[in-house]
Amino acid sequence: MFSKFLSLPFVITLLVCLYYTWEGDLSPIYIVPNVVILASIYVLSPQIDWLWYQKNPPEMDGKLRVFLEKVFPYYRNLNPKEKKRFRVRVNLYIIATEFMPKAMENVPEDIKGLIAANIVMLTFGQKDYRLSKFERIVVYPHPFPSPQFPKHLHSSEIFEEDGVILYSLEQLVPGATRQTQFYNIALHEYAKIFKLIYP
């Protein structure tokens, strides 16, 4: 993360100031600016890191790239320049989004890529491709009960108030990888969000 790299000189300066203050050679007032700058970097670290990633986008992991080529027809049909733009957007979406696993240890990278590929496909022509009002995704391995409708199990839904999208992997994976055979719930939820943001 760029924010950690940016804070390193101030941490070193702070440690030097603390040492000389302890020895009695320096006034404690010199500690304050370093603490203020470090606190500011800490508070603004998500924005600082995001700006860094936008200027220096990371290259997509080779396994995820092969996976998208294999299972995502939209990506396969893009020209090389558009494929690169698509991969950059998928990577940035994964970085900017909080993926929360439920009833499992973690959300696998290929699942994150599959979810991200659907929103990037839907918003490929838009400047705001992230639909940034929804930055948290909860992933269940199976259909889940909803607090609003506890008697029925759901495969996907959105909570606009919290900016959360929920998916069941049982329905998500077949719909996103075999789109001619199964209904794509990822695209369905992103289309609902797109309609909410751009009525």
Side-chain angles (χ1 to χ4, degrees), residues 99-102 104 107 111 115 137-141 165 167 169:
F99 289 88
M100 298 177 285
K102 293 291 181 187
M104 54 193 214
V107 180
I111 298 301
I115 291 170
I137 297 175
V138 177
V139 180
Y140 287 87
I165 310 167
Y167 290 119
L169 284 182

Side-chain angles (χ1 to χ4, degrees), residues 13-14 17-18 21 25-35:
T13 307
L14 178 63
C17 288
L18 284 170
T21 302
D25 298 338
L26 194 67
S27 169
I29 196 74
Y30 291 103
I31 294 171
V32 175
N34 288 301
V35 170

Side-chain angles (χ1 to χ4, degrees), residues 14-197:
L14 178 63
L15 292 173
V16 169
C17 288
L18 284 170
Y19 173 76
Y20 283 111
T21 302
W22 181 264
E23 292 293 316
D25 298 338
L26 194 67
S27 169
I29 196 74
Y30 291 103
I31 294 171
V32 175
N34 288 301
V35 170
V36 169
I37 291 169
L38 285 169
S40 301
I41 290 173
Y42 177 76
V43 169
L44 297 172
S45 64
Q47 291 83 357
I48 293 167
D49 291 336
W50 181 247
L51 287 172
W52 171 258
Y53 282 130
Q54 283 185 312
K55 299 278 186 216
N56 306 286
E59 186 53 48
M60 180 179 278
D61 176 59
K63 290 178 185 174
L64 183 55
R65 191 173 174 174
V66 170
F67 177 72
L68 281 180
E69 189 75 45
K70 185 178 174 186
V71 303
F72 214 73
Y74 181 83
Y75 173 74
R76 232 183 357 254
N77 294 324
L78 295 173
N79 66 46
K81 188 178 177 184
E82 289 173 330
K83 278 185 177 181
K84 181 173 174 129
R85 186 167 149 239
F86 190 91
R87 288 193 307 269
V88 165
R89 285 186 168 198
V90 166
N91 259 355
L92 290 175
Y93 184 81
I94 291 170
I95 289 167
T97 304
E98 182 184 359
F99 289 88
M100 298 177 285
K102 293 291 181 187
M104 54 193 214
E105 249 179 72
N106 58 17
V107 180
E109 289 303 308
D110 58 341
I111 298 301
K112 290 179 184 179
L114 198 57
I115 291 170
N118 277 283
I119 188 169
V120 170
M121 176 177 68
L122 179 68
T123 61
F124 202 53
Q126 301 290 320
K127 190 173 180 183
D128 177 22
Y129 61 92
R130 288 179 30 231
L131 303 179
S132 49
K133 189 176 176 183
F134 289 80
E135 293 184 335
R136 287 179 289 173
I137 297 175
V138 177
V139 180
Y140 287 87
H142 47 70
F144 51 88
S146 164
Q148 293 173 325
F149 309 101
K151 293 181 181 178
H152 304 287
L153 296 178
H154 300 260
S155 58
S156 68
E157 62 184 67
I158 59 171
F159 285 107
E160 186 180 2
E161 305 80 31
D162 300 330
V164 176
I165 310 167
L166 296 96
Y167 290 119
S168 159
L169 284 182
E170 230 174 79
Q171 286 74 30
L172 174 79
V173 174
T177 58
R178 292 178 279 167
Q179 297 174 5
T180 56
Q181 296 173 288
F182 297 96
Y183 189 72
N184 189 342
I185 61 170
L187 201 54
H188 174 90
E189 295 303 339
Y190 283 129
K192 280 171 37 182
I193 293 166
F194 191 88
K195 198 174 169 188
L196 282 171
I197 294 174

